[in-house]
Amino acid sequence: MIGCVKENLIRSLLRALLAVMGVAVLPAQTPQSLEEVVERLKAEKSLPAAQRVEAVQQLGGFPEKEVQRVVLSLWNGLDAAERTAPEATELRHALLGLLGRSANAGALKILKAQWAEPATTDGERYAIGYGLMNQGSSGFRVLGEALGETGKVRDVALWVLRYSVDPERAAATLFEGLEDAKQEEQRVFLEPLRHYPVDAKLRRWLGKHLDHADPDARGHVLALCASDQKSMTGDALDALTVALADDEMRATAPRQARLAAALCSAWTKRARGERAEMILELIGARPGMLAQELALLSGTTGLAVAQELDGFLFATDDATARAFWMQVLAGWIASPHEGVWQALDETLSKALDHRDVEVRLEALRRVSADAVPDRFDRLIDLLPQCPPELRSELLVEFRGADAGAGPEQRARWQAVLRGWLTEAEVPLNLQLLEVLAELGDRDMLAQAWELLGSGDWREVSGAAESCGRVPHRDSVPRLIEAFAGAERRRLQADLQRVLTRLTGKSYGKADYWERWWESSGESFELPERVAEASGSERAAAADGVLTYYGMPIESERIVFVVDVSGSMAEQANTKGDTRLDLAKQALLQVIARLTPTTSVDLVAFSDGARSWAGGLEPVDDDTRADFERFVKGLTAGGGTNVHDAMRDALAVADVDTVYLLSDGQPSVGEITEPELLARQIAKWNLERCARIHTIAIGLESEFLVEVAERSGGDAATR
């Protein structure tokens, strides 16, 4: 959909795929020749594995055929320990990703051997899986054999086959697995098959299983039928009608979404308005989930559904229903079909003139600049009409909307935002200050200085951050005064950080700042630029400060959010500890040192999310013992439902700091597309204003970095 969103999605998918395959995006200082890289690799041969990774990754910048022999030589040169040791994981990962870029008998032999190696990590196996798909029928045969196994090996094979560059072979391999699977296991093959066109063999299989005993499998069967005109027979329509009335088929949100998607695309004699009503009743308030299901439809069907949704939008007089259909259209960004994107751009362009202000605003959020060249001017004209309750959410969406705007447009944009600042409530005030500061608007400083005296710590923190982004000498004494009056530890840390950024000084106590300003304030001039210290640097500078994964604990109201999905069972070191073991050790070390002045909660997540206390609990001997019991009882298994975990964490009253730890991309929950989920988390955080610090275990995660950056938090990789 929507040119600019489409380009961002493709870029993020490519970056994610490169990361999975261990091939880094090359820095600006890429060597001029392959010979330079080879010489560097020779010079670094005696270094530890971890220090040789960067040079290996640079090989990804050269054609596959040129580097294949070099990579094979590097792999064969690994000693026995380097082929299995955890500390060499990153090096192996990079080499395996490069080996699999093109078909080669030597590469195939290595990939097959490493796939079967018990010590192979999940990350390596993903890289191997993508490499096997480039090895032709022999590689797919290995993946097909893995489908007959259980556990993580099969999960990885299913995942890579879902996104194959050879759709015909991938679909055939998945179908063979489907035919061989037990009835209760068939649903895991049907879901990835929805990413590919329905062929004659699958069509016959679907026709025989319209009443599948497993409700989840039956939902996939009906959705597959709905995506293929030849499969949507009279029997299939009858089966869909029966399913719509079946309470078991409507028992979970994903099942409802599949039925709604099938109803959107299936040809029926029902009037459009009646069908729209049924879909709304089915899916409730979850447009994101319906959008993800619709994205799996084939190109022809997807185009028809885009036009159908257009009709739903313009036919209804119900404002709630219109808003729902707009969000479905806007969220349908994962569709891989060019025709669908074009149809959505056309619909959104038409919606720019809709009678409903909310529909016009939603269209402006999503329509591409290519489709509507005057998009930014329209936005400036429309925002003053925006209802107050939508302004915070819109600022989340329109961050950076001024890119490429001229001086006159930027001045108008800033004037609209400053006008809102005089009448806004706390969450919106904070966003307005942040956006104006990003624009370098010095006229907002007077309002920021006034807010430094607010009784709401969130406004003081936001005003301080704005002062830090638009440096002014007169901000310093006002920040020192606010620091002297701050009681909340999180606010003290925020003010300390901004004062250090503006002055280059670092005093831990208010009276030290006051004495310094009294003696030096008259002659003080702002330094040219002071680099912001990272969380680990702040921890190192403050001797004795309690840390969590190297990040200083700078709050007394904390929620820890910890991934306990199946991949957390992966071995993490030579001692045999798993990722979850190390995460549990880190939590137990922190809770042992926290005092009763600090209150905490813990949310563990896999397929769902569960809270230790359901709210912040002061740390005393009793709660510490209960917390430790909860942590020790955590086990790894299931998917990665970041959506529910962060929703629950940010719903905790008075939390101001969240630590989110995960080792994978979101795979379960109402929203799993990383960009959309990061935006949703930012919306949940509008009222709470929590700092979200993230820890990525194993591989770097752009999603976790974005979540942290949107809240002003730190991001770490371990």
Side-chain angles (χ1 to χ4, degrees):
M1 152 182 187
I2 330 172
C4 59
V5 177
K6 171 185 172 184
E7 290 171 12
N8 288 338
L9 175 67
I10 292 172
R11 279 197 295 269
S12 65
L13 287 173
L14 285 173
R15 283 195 296 268
L17 181 57
L18 286 169
V20 166
M21 296 185 71
V23 181
V25 178
L26 295 177
Q29 63 270 26
T30 302
Q32 297 301 307
S33 69
L34 178 59
E35 288 72 22
E36 286 182 45
V37 183
V38 172
E39 287 303 313
R40 178 180 172 185
L41 287 164
K42 289 178 180 177
E44 295 181 351
K45 188 174 181 180
S46 60
L47 293 178
Q51 296 179 34
R52 288 146 51 199
V53 174
E54 182 183 347
V56 171
Q57 289 174 332
Q58 287 180 331
L59 292 171
F62 301 97
E64 291 91 335
K65 291 184 179 179
E66 290 183 25
V67 302
Q68 189 69 262
R69 185 178 299 174
V70 176
V71 179
L72 283 168
S73 175
L74 288 169
W75 181 269
N76 291 327
L78 296 178
D79 60 37
E82 288 174 330
R83 298 199 182 194
T84 57
E87 54 268 26
T89 297
E90 196 174 353
L91 177 62
R92 291 196 304 274
H93 197 164
L95 287 170
L96 289 166
L98 291 166
L99 280 169
R101 292 199 300 172
S102 60
N104 177 280
L108 175 61
K109 182 178 179 181
I110 292 168
L111 293 172
K112 287 174 67 175
Q114 285 302 113
W115 179 269
E117 169 61 50
T120 297
T121 67
D122 290 344
E124 292 173 79
R125 197 163 267 116
Y126 280 113
I128 295 167
Y130 284 109
L132 285 169
M133 289 191 293
N134 288 325
Q135 308 303 314
S137 57
S138 298
F140 276 95
R141 195 174 301 118
V142 176
L143 294 172
E145 291 168 359
L147 295 179
E149 301 183 30
T150 57
K152 197 63 181 179
V153 172
R154 186 185 70 175
D155 292 346
V156 173
L158 285 166
W159 179 264
V160 297
L161 286 167
R162 179 188 286 111
Y163 302 113
S164 176
V165 293
D166 188 341
E168 189 173 334
R169 279 197 174 113
T173 303
L174 287 166
F175 183 70
E176 287 175 12
L178 173 67
E179 286 194 305
D180 294 339
K182 296 178 181 178
Q183 187 178 63
E184 61 270 19
E185 294 288 332
Q186 289 174 340
R187 66 179 182 278
V188 302
F189 297 92
L190 288 165
E191 193 282 323
L193 276 167
R194 291 182 59 197
H195 291 255
Y196 301 112
V198 176
D199 63 12
K201 286 184 179 180
L202 179 57
R203 195 174 295 127
R204 286 194 294 273
W205 191 95
L206 295 173
K208 295 175 183 177
H209 294 83
L210 293 170
D211 58 349
H212 202 292
D214 178 353
D216 288 310
R218 194 179 355 158
H220 286 305
V221 167
L222 293 170
L224 276 161
C225 288
S227 71
D228 175 54
Q229 289 182 338
K230 291 182 180 178
S231 297
M232 189 43 73
T233 61
D235 288 343
L237 279 172
D238 290 343
L240 176 57
T241 302
V242 170
L244 289 168
D246 187 334
D247 289 341
E248 193 175 13
M249 289 295 294
R250 301 156 61 109
T252 67
R255 292 177 193 171
Q256 291 170 345
R258 284 179 209 122
L259 288 177
L263 193 57
C264 275
S265 56
W267 175 256
T268 75
K269 295 181 179 179
R270 287 190 172 90
R272 175 178 282 154
E274 184 185 350
R275 250 191 307 159
E277 240 177 71
M278 290 180 68
I279 293 166
L280 284 169
E281 188 268 328
L282 260 179
I283 200 67
R286 293 182 296 275
M289 189 171 282
L290 177 56
Q292 290 181 92
E293 289 292 328
L294 292 174
L296 297 175
L297 300 174
S298 66
T300 305
T301 308
L303 185 58
V305 172
Q307 294 163 346
E308 187 78 356
L309 293 177
D310 183 322
F312 288 156
L313 172 66
F314 292 101
T316 181
D317 290 323
D318 184 318
T320 302
R322 282 200 301 268
F324 176 88
W325 291 118
M326 275 303 302
Q327 290 176 63
V328 171
L329 283 166
W332 197 1
I333 67 171
S335 173
H337 307 293
E338 187 68 34
V340 175
W341 266 318
Q342 291 172 351
L344 293 176
D345 246 351
E346 290 172 12
T347 298
L348 292 171
S349 297
K350 286 193 292 182
L352 291 172
D353 297 316
H354 199 281
R355 61 189 180 278
D356 187 320
V357 172
E358 292 188 33
V359 170
R360 297 207 302 276
L361 285 168
E362 185 69 44
L364 266 176
R365 288 179 182 181
R366 307 296 188 174
V367 74
S368 69
D370 291 339
V372 184
D374 62 343
R375 177 173 176 264
F376 190 59
D377 287 316
R378 283 176 174 264
L379 168 62
I380 297 172
D381 292 337
L382 188 56
L383 281 184
Q385 305 172 45
C386 173
E389 64 272 13
L390 283 182
R391 293 178 182 178
S392 283
E393 189 172 320
L394 284 166
L395 280 179
V396 173
E397 302 287 353
F398 282 119
R399 294 291 291 276
D402 58 295
E408 185 179 339
Q409 287 177 311
R410 288 171 71 91
R412 289 179 60 209
W413 174 238
Q414 289 169 242
V416 169
L417 299 182
R418 279 199 303 274
W420 283 0
L421 189 59
T422 60
E423 60 187 56
E425 295 184 355
V426 174
L428 181 55
N429 262 344
L430 301 180
Q431 290 174 276
L432 291 168
L433 285 170
E434 190 173 358
V435 174
L436 288 166
E438 285 177 355
L439 295 170
D441 183 10
R442 298 180 72 84
D443 291 341
M444 64 84 195
L445 279 174
Q447 289 160 298
W449 293 338
E450 185 178 341
L451 288 172
L452 285 173
S454 169
D456 190 314
W457 73 270
R458 297 171 299 173
E459 286 190 317
V460 179
S461 175
E465 184 62 33
S466 299
C467 291
R469 293 191 179 197
V470 185
H472 194 291
R473 181 188 180 281
D474 292 347
S475 294
V476 177
R478 293 174 168 88
L479 288 164
I480 292 173
E481 183 180 354
F483 188 34
E487 296 180 357
R488 195 179 188 104
R489 188 175 171 193
R490 155 67 198 281
L491 179 56
Q492 292 170 355
D494 292 347
L495 289 162
Q496 168 82 11
R497 195 181 307 188
V498 174
L499 279 167
T500 299
R501 190 190 309 165
L502 289 177
T503 67
K505 310 293 181 183
S506 183
Y507 301 119
K509 296 183 179 180
D511 56 344
Y512 292 176
W513 281 108
E514 289 170 336
R515 287 202 296 271
W516 168 75
W517 185 254
E518 187 177 339
S519 63
S520 306
E522 201 168 310
S523 59
F524 172 74
E525 293 184 6
L526 290 171
E528 284 191 15
R529 183 178 180 276
V530 178
E532 178 97 25
S534 67
S536 58
E537 289 169 337
R538 293 197 307 277
D543 187 34
V545 169
L546 178 60
T547 63
Y548 178 65
Y549 281 92
M551 298 177 178
I553 302 288
E554 297 175 322
S555 168
E556 293 172 335
R557 297 166 177 84
I558 306 166
V559 175
F560 296 98
V561 181
V562 178
D563 185 347
V564 294
S565 62
S567 55
M568 289 292 286
E570 183 177 315
Q571 185 174 324
N573 60 27
T574 54
K575 299 176 183 178
D577 292 321
T578 66
R579 292 174 174 176
L580 182 56
D581 289 334
L582 297 182
K584 290 158 87 169
Q585 290 170 24
L587 286 168
L588 295 175
Q589 288 166 5
V590 168
I591 199 70
R593 292 185 57 191
L594 291 176
T595 66
T597 61
T598 302
S599 296
V600 301
D601 194 5
L602 168 63
V603 177
F605 67 96
S606 54
D607 288 330
R610 58 193 176 108
S611 169
W612 161 61
L616 293 177
E617 288 288 335
V619 179
D620 56 27
D621 290 343
D622 290 338
T623 55
R624 183 181 289 110
D626 192 48
F627 184 95
E628 290 173 350
R629 279 192 294 272
F630 184 85
V631 169
K632 290 175 181 177
L634 294 175
T635 57
T640 308
N641 192 340
V642 181
H643 176 279
D644 288 6
M646 289 304 294
R647 178 200 61 201
D648 294 354
L650 292 170
V652 173
D654 208 29
V655 61
D656 62 29
T657 302
V658 174
Y659 291 90
L660 167 61
L661 180 149
S662 181
D663 72 340
Q665 290 286 84
S667 63
V668 181
E670 186 169 326
I671 302 174
T672 56
E673 201 285 314
E675 187 176 336
L676 292 179
L677 182 53
R679 192 177 300 137
Q680 181 59 58
I681 291 170
K683 290 177 184 176
W684 286 328
N685 200 27
L686 288 174
E687 187 77 29
R688 193 66 67 210
C689 304
R691 288 257 188 263
I692 303 173
H693 305 294
T694 60
I695 303 100
I697 302 298
L699 297 175
E700 292 184 2
S701 168
E702 289 192 9
F703 163 67
L704 291 179
V705 170
E706 183 178 357
V707 169
E709 287 180 348
R710 281 176 174 266
S711 71
D714 294 317
T717 302
R718 293 290 183 271

